[in-house]
Each structure stands twice: as structure tokens, then as C-alpha cells.
């Protein structure tokens, strides 16, 4: 469940903190909020001004998501610092992107389709008869090529996950894979 706070309320909280005589924790307690939320709003305001407090509904491309993740990993930024830097206001988005990327690569960052899938336009045609002399058709070769490519990508990802697991057990941050 996500709580949505109005822009006006966020502005009031930030102003209370900036011009009041109390710290972040006391301001959060006064408004019945989590300390980290108030800190996020204050940092968004400092970085982007009043527009940093406005609610947005953005859709980010997989390439942008990867750019954000690579910048975070390369510069050793925290998720919170990266959210502020790129003005990403959806709480938890970057952590979700990171998990998706590690579990499925760049394609996992693409938006998921919702709703029902469209019905096929025509029934599938019967498979063509294979040549009798042992040679495979062009379509069969393309099918095998697609299968082998998918298998290769899977094995690369498996290797990357194993390396990541070894790195995290040694206390290092994982580096993005190039596959």
C-alpha cells in the first residue's frame, strides 16, 4: 500500500523543517511520518526546488534505467543519492530495477504488459514436412539458432549471478554485466 501525500503537505513539512527550530526526526514525529520520508522530501527540495516535491507519473526506458544503475554502481552512490540525482520520486524504484536487472538483464527492465493477450488472428498452420534426406530446412536452422542463443544468454546470466553472489559474500558491490 502506497501513501500519497499532496504537494501542499510535502511543502508544509519541508518548510517546517527548514525554518523551524527542530531537526528531521522531530519534524517527522510532529507530522506522524517516517524520518526517511522527510529526509527524502528535504533533499528533493534542495536539489530540484519546489518542483522536486510534485507528484509525477513517469515511465522510464530500459536504457535510462540501466544508465541510472550503472552510474550508481560506478560512483558508489546509495539508492537515495541516486534517486535525488536523477529526480526519481517513486520510492523503491531503483532497488526494484536493480533486482530486475540482476535477475533478467536489460530485458527485465522493460515494462510488463498488463491485461489479456490478444487472440491469434489465424489458427497456426501445420508444420511443414521435413526433408527426407536428413537435411534441415532454413526455418529449422533458424529455430535452432534462436534456441542456442537463448541458451548462451542464460548461461552468461547464470555465470554473472554466481560471480555476484561470490562478490557479495566477500563484501564487494557487484559490477553490471555486459551481457
Amino acid at each position: 500500500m502506497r501513501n500519497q501525500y499532496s504537494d501542499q503537505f510535502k511543502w508544509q513539512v519541508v518548510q517546517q523543517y527548514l525554518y523551524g527550530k527542530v531537526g528531521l526526526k522531530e519534524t517527522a514525529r510532529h507530522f506522524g511520518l517516517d524520518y526517511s520520508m522527510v529526509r527524502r522530501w528535504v533533499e528533493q527540495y534542495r536539489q530540484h526546488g519546489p518542483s522536486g516535491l510534485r507528484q509525477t507519473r513517469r515511465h522510464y526506458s530500459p536504457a535510462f534505467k540501466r544508465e541510472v544503475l550503472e552510474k550508481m554502481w560506478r560512483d558508489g552512490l546509495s539508492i537515495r543519492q541516486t534517486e535525488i540525482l536523477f529526480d526519481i520520486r517513486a520510492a523503491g524504484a531503483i532497488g526494484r530495477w536493480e533486482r530486475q536487472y540482476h535477475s533478467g538483464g536489460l530485458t527485465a527492465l522493460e515494462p510488463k504488459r498488463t491485461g489479456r493477450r490478444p487472440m491469434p488472428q489465424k489458427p497456426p498452420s501445420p508444420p511443414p514436412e521435413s526433408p527426407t534426406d536428413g537435411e534441415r530446412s532454413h526455418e529449422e536452422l533458424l529455430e535452432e539458432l534462436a534456441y542456442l542463443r537463448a541458451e548462451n544468454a542464460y548461461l552468461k546470466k547464470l555465470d554473472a549471478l554466481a560471480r555476484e553472489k561470490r562478490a557479495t559474500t566477500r563484501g564487494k558491490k557487484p559490477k553490471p554485466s555486459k551481457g
Side-chain angles (χ1 to χ4, degrees):
M1 182 171 144
R2 249 168 47 180
N3 287 331
Q4 294 282 333
Y5 296 98
S6 72
D7 300 346
Q8 182 69 29
F9 178 73
K10 292 177 188 177
W11 175 251
Q12 182 182 359
V13 172
V14 168
Q15 293 304 303
Q16 173 78 24
Y17 167 72
L18 292 175
Y19 300 110
K21 304 272 189 225
V22 295
L24 280 172
K25 290 182 181 178
E26 187 57 40
T27 302
R29 197 173 304 121
H30 174 77
F31 287 99
L33 299 169
D34 185 67
Y35 157 76
S36 63
M37 185 175 293
V38 175
R39 182 178 60 190
R40 172 192 301 262
W41 292 348
V42 169
E43 289 178 11
Q44 286 173 330
Y45 175 78
R46 285 182 173 154
Q47 185 77 23
H48 304 286
S51 66
L53 299 176
R54 290 195 195 112
Q55 295 178 9
T56 61
R57 297 262 189 255
R58 291 189 188 165
H59 296 283
Y60 302 104
S61 71
F64 175 79
K65 293 174 184 178
R66 184 175 182 173
E67 177 188 340
V68 168
L69 292 173
E70 287 176 347
K71 172 79 171 165
M72 181 176 74
W73 295 327
R74 185 177 52 249
D75 295 353
L77 301 173
S78 70
I79 288 178
R80 187 173 47 81
Q81 290 170 321
T82 308
E83 287 172 341
I84 299 301
L85 180 66
F86 286 93
D87 195 21
I88 297 170
R89 302 192 196 144
I94 295 177
R96 188 171 47 256
W97 298 347
E98 189 171 29
R99 286 188 302 277
Q100 289 170 338
Y101 184 80
H102 287 311
S103 69
L106 189 58
T107 56
L109 297 176
E110 293 176 6
K112 305 288 183 263
R113 288 188 51 166
T114 56
R116 295 175 59 172
R117 292 190 178 179
M119 293 293 291
Q121 298 298 324
K122 60 180 184 176
S125 57
E129 293 184 27
S130 61
T132 55
D133 60 356
E135 292 182 24
R136 292 183 283 178
S137 71
H138 182 72
E139 289 77 23
E140 287 173 318
L141 290 172
L142 288 175
E143 227 176 83
E144 182 179 8
L145 178 63
Y147 174 83
L148 291 172
R149 284 180 175 165
E151 183 179 39
N152 190 27
Y154 175 80
L155 292 172
K156 282 182 179 180
K157 187 61 189 173
L158 188 61
D159 180 57
L161 290 172
R163 279 187 276 121
E164 174 190 335
K165 188 173 183 177
R166 284 193 302 270
T168 55
T169 57
R170 285 187 258 136
K172 294 182 179 178
K173 276 198 170 187
K175 293 194 169 35
S177 64
K178 300 211 191 260

